[in-house]
Amino acid sequence: RPDRAVEQLVFTRLRALFPDHAFVGEESYDASEKKPLSDQPTWVVDPVDGTTNFVHGLPFVAVSIALLVEKEPIVGVVYNPILDELYHAGESLGAYLNGTRLPLHQVAPTVPAPTLATSLLATEYGYERDAPRVDAKVGAVRSLLVNAKARSIRSLGSAALEACLVARGTFDAWWEAGVHMWDVAAAAIIVREAGG
């Protein structure tokens, strides 16, 4: 499987440089171990964020790598190899897309957008298919569109890239229920450093 191979490659390279750091990866994580995240430097990796997109040839796929210190992301890298887009950020160093400072643009006249009616939002539906969870997610989307009159809502299939599109200034907001640390750790510092 490509996701396991990518995770192993990333961890092998990082372990050679940082042998005393901890490592958490989506493919090697064992939820039954219930290991708490420690304060030591920890690399968090999602080797293929957007696996379903990858399988179907949709170009919203990313490798997501974060370095956490005291449980907070201080470095984040999200790379879409298909579109050759490299998002990265470091604590107090700003956020960038292919070397250009983020945000690239503002869709709304002010950030954050003054109302949901002028906002482009993003969300994900995840993998759960039980009726109560699906109903809750669809109900939230319905409420934002019908009651709050949001301009529109998108779902691209990659949590990391959707969050990076907030940092870029393309989306005004993104939300998702049920994400894991590897889904958002790298993107979190990219959004923060872009002013989000």
Side-chain angles (χ1 to χ4, degrees):
R1 293 185 37 186
D3 44 3
R4 289 186 180 151
V6 171
E7 182 175 290
Q8 187 59 44
L9 174 68
V10 170
F11 280 174
T12 298
R13 299 259 173 109
L14 289 173
R15 280 189 177 108
L17 296 170
F18 307 103
D20 297 331
H21 290 191
F23 296 85
V24 176
E26 178 181 24
E27 300 307 316
S28 56
Y29 181 75
D30 184 353
S32 67
E33 292 180 14
K34 295 189 174 24
K35 286 187 195 173
L37 192 60
S38 74
D39 284 342
Q40 83 177 99
T42 302
W43 293 92
V44 178
V45 174
D46 187 343
V48 182
D49 186 46
T51 304
T52 300
N53 290 350
F54 178 76
V55 169
H56 290 274
L58 192 63
F60 300 106
V61 176
V63 178
S64 180
I65 303 170
L67 173 60
L68 280 60
V69 173
E70 296 179 359
K71 301 179 187 120
E72 290 293 324
I74 63 164
V75 172
V77 175
V78 175
Y79 179 58
N80 180 334
I82 298 167
L83 300 178
D84 194 27
E85 292 182 333
L86 176 65
Y87 295 87
H88 69 280
E91 188 172 57
S92 301
L93 298 173
Y96 299 85
L97 167 59
N98 292 344
T100 301
R101 185 85 182 233
L102 295 174
L104 296 180
H105 62 277
Q106 299 180 123
V107 176
T110 60
V111 174
T115 70
L116 287 174
T118 62
S119 298
L120 180 59
L121 310 175
T123 190
E124 281 305 318
Y125 294 94
Y127 291 102
E128 300 90 5
R129 294 296 179 258
D130 59 281
R133 288 186 200 196
V134 171
D135 289 347
K137 291 175 183 182
V138 171
V141 169
R142 183 183 190 288
S143 179
L144 284 166
L145 291 173
V146 174
N147 300 335
K149 307 289 187 221
R151 175 175 277 167
S152 195
I153 300 173
R154 301 288 186 259
S155 181
L156 302 181
S158 167
L161 289 175
E162 287 170 333
C164 284
L165 286 169
V166 172
R168 184 177 181 153
T170 302
F171 291 142
D172 294 296
W174 165 79
W175 87 97
E176 181 177 349
V179 293
H180 300 280
M181 72 177 120
W182 47 77
D183 296 316
V184 295
I189 189 164
I190 293 167
V191 171
R192 188 172 66 221
E193 287 294 318

